[in-house]
């Protein structure tokens, strides 16, 4: 649902907060629209990403690890 709603998580593989964010999803993280800023730095700069992780939902930036409940609120996806 997050992907269907256009939510994107920007992060890196070395970021401990990104790792913790991914762990909230378990195996389902494979379905999240994720941009690795180490591999796609230009895309992250264009999106205005200043820290990791950062979620973009409806063009708004939400820096930091987000709870599942917060992502539900931002996207109206079911928990």
């Amino acid at each position: 649902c997050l992907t269907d709603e256009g939510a994107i998580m920007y992060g890196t593989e070395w970021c401990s907060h990104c790792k913790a964010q991914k762990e909230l999803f378990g195996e389902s993280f494979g379905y999240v629209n994720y941009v690795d800023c180490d591999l796609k730095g230009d895309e992250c700069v264009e999106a205005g990403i200043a820290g990791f992780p950062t979620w973009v939902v409806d063009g708004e930036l939400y820096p930091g690890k987000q709870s599942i409940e917060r992502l539900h609120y931002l996207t109206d996806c079911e928990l």
Side-chain angles (χ1 to χ4, degrees):
C1 179
L2 292 173
T3 299
D4 291 343
E5 294 298 321
I8 303 170
M9 180 186 147
Y10 292 86
T12 65
E13 295 304 311
W14 52 263
C15 167
S16 62
H17 299 288
C18 299
K19 182 178 179 180
Q21 182 75 82
K22 292 176 185 180
E23 288 173 354
L24 283 178
F25 289 92
E27 291 181 16
S28 296
F29 187 77
Y31 298 102
V32 172
N33 191 358
Y34 171 68
V35 177
D36 184 332
C37 291
D38 285 331
L39 301 176
K40 298 182 179 181
D42 291 343
E43 188 174 332
C44 296
V45 169
E46 287 178 27
I49 306 305
F52 309 111
T54 295
W55 286 86
V56 176
V57 180
D58 291 330
E60 296 291 325
L61 277 63
Y62 299 93
K65 180 181 159 197
Q66 303 296 316
S67 69
I68 297 295
E69 292 80 11
R70 176 80 170 146
L71 292 169
H72 159 70
Y73 173 79
L74 295 172
T75 62
D76 206 28
C77 289
E78 289 188 37
L79 295 177

